[in-house]
Amino acid sequence: MSESELRRCLSSAGGLKIKIGRFNVCLSSSIREVSEHLRCLYKNFELVSGPDFCDFHVALMPPFGVRRYVRPQVNFSFDGEYPFKPLPYRQAGALFEWGLNWCIARHANQYLIIHAAVVARDSRALVLAGTPGSGKSTLCAALVCEGWRLLSDEMALLSIDDGGLYPVPRPISLKNRSLEVISAFSSDAVMGPVVRDTAKGTVGHMRPPTQSVELSERPARPAQLVFPCYKERSSTKLTSLSKGRALLRAAENSFNYSVLGTHGFNSLARLIEDSDCHEFQYSRLDEAIAVFTELET
């Protein structure tokens, strides 16, 4: 699809329908930064044609009034709801990613959703759980550059029915120094536009590998649950974590654990039972990758 065709489709009444994992997303936008974001980072994704059901109908549009023309801003809307304050035009691509995270976290309650990056070797999944700033997205990006399959860099979708981890492979969000670290780590990493001075600092995204997108319907089984912590100039250390402590920490990092009630507890207990649990401290990506490669051999 050419740039003009993409912009025309985004601006049409029906919007652009994109298949992202098991979600169909209908996106409407008249903003150039959105089409540029999609052309760079979503070029390998399948488009949904016809009247197929869409899980999320979202739009990125300028607000009414003077902000259309003076220091232009963009609004994110979901079914007429505006969950965020308007942001500058240049942040429109990042706002799409943040907004879609919000949609999934708020509405995909067929899954227990844990704040975690997920990668896999064959059908065995490594879940990297933690809060922002723990280094999970940087570590996830490095593992993906080394051939691991990307399921998600932001949220683990654990099925409450079968206990599988379901992929939602999207651009990997990197912030501040992580952008330079991953660009230097792998010449194969394809980066999208970099946006400075956001609420999260300098933000950019790495394109997900084609194979990860092609396998986005294939779940993986939990094998390792790791709580990473990046610490500058630290040694690389993997420490066993008791399953009781791991369950408590994973629950603290879940978006909808309390909403799911008994289903949430049972799903999380099953994840803990199926996984080896660890804490992980690192500063060097090459050493970190060697540790996880060893775990899977």
Side-chain angles (χ1 to χ4, degrees):
M1 183 180 292
S2 69
E3 182 177 355
S4 60
E5 290 173 328
L6 176 58
R7 295 193 68 190
R8 186 163 54 250
C9 190
L10 283 167
S11 299
S12 68
L16 181 76
K17 297 178 181 178
I18 313 169
K19 183 174 179 58
I20 304 176
R22 292 204 160 188
F23 303 113
N24 289 344
V25 178
C26 181
L27 171 62
S28 299
S29 183
S30 60
I31 297 172
R32 180 183 296 274
E33 283 79 359
V34 175
S35 61
E36 291 173 349
H37 182 86
L38 294 176
R39 278 180 59 79
C40 179
L41 298 171
Y42 281 83
K43 64 177 297 183
N44 299 319
F45 284 72
E46 179 183 345
L47 296 181
V48 180
S49 59
D52 287 13
F53 172 81
C54 284
D55 299 272
F56 307 117
H57 288 81
V58 301
L60 289 131
M61 296 291 186
F64 295 106
V66 70
R67 282 304 191 187
R68 282 179 171 266
Y69 311 103
V70 180
R71 295 183 182 178
Q73 293 183 326
V74 54
N75 265 325
F76 177 93
S77 67
F78 166 70
D79 284 351
E81 184 175 356
Y82 293 85
F84 312 111
K85 293 180 180 179
L87 293 178
Y89 256 29
R90 56 188 172 79
Q91 297 183 30
L95 182 56
F96 169 63
E97 302 297 341
W98 298 333
L100 189 52
N101 287 341
W102 179 88
C103 290
I104 295 171
R106 286 286 297 269
H107 299 92
N109 289 322
Q110 66 271 42
Y111 305 103
L112 174 66
I113 305 174
I114 303 170
H115 192 191
V118 188
V119 295
R121 277 280 179 89
D122 298 322
S123 62
R124 291 170 52 85
L126 165 63
V127 180
L128 301 166
T131 56
S134 62
K136 61 181 174 53
S137 290
T138 308
L139 185 52
C140 170
L143 288 164
V144 168
C145 288
E146 289 295 301
W148 291 63
R149 176 162 72 104
L150 174 68
L151 278 75
S152 174
D153 88 300
E154 187 67 29
M155 51 186 69
L157 302 183
L158 183 69
S159 171
I160 63 176
D161 292 326
D162 62 25
L165 286 160
Y166 280 79
V168 56
R170 292 164 49 209
I172 298 175
S173 176
L174 298 169
K175 298 182 287 293
N176 303 315
R177 188 168 175 270
S178 293
L179 291 160
E180 299 174 8
V181 169
I182 294 301
S183 294
F185 180 79
S186 175
S187 59
D188 294 329
V190 178
M191 298 294 185
V194 173
V195 183
R196 304 184 188 280
D197 300 321
T198 77
K200 300 183 179 184
T202 300
V203 174
H205 294 82
M206 186 183 100
R207 182 194 295 168
T210 301
Q211 186 180 46
S212 295
V213 176
E214 291 175 344
L215 296 175
S216 62
E217 290 269 359
R218 186 180 299 178
R221 304 304 305 179
Q224 306 285 343
L225 173 62
V226 176
F227 296 88
C229 177
Y230 173 83
K231 188 175 181 181
E232 192 171 359
R233 297 187 180 89
S234 69
S235 58
T236 302
K237 183 166 60 175
L238 185 73
T239 307
S240 293
L241 185 65
S242 72
K243 289 187 179 290
R245 181 59 182 152
L247 188 146
L248 290 174
R249 289 185 62 178
E252 291 170 357
N253 284 283
S254 298
F255 291 101
N256 60 343
Y257 177 75
S258 59
V259 171
L260 294 176
T262 302
H263 291 301
F265 176 81
N266 290 339
S267 297
L268 190 55
R270 184 175 181 177
L271 169 69
I272 300 299
E273 181 64 28
D274 291 344
S275 303
D276 295 329
C277 304
H278 306 274
E279 292 179 317
F280 182 62
Q281 178 179 284
Y282 79 100
S283 63
R284 292 179 55 89
L285 286 175
D286 54 348
E287 293 181 3
I289 289 168
V291 167
F292 293 119
T293 301
E294 179 68 22
L295 277 178
E296 290 302 306
T297 57

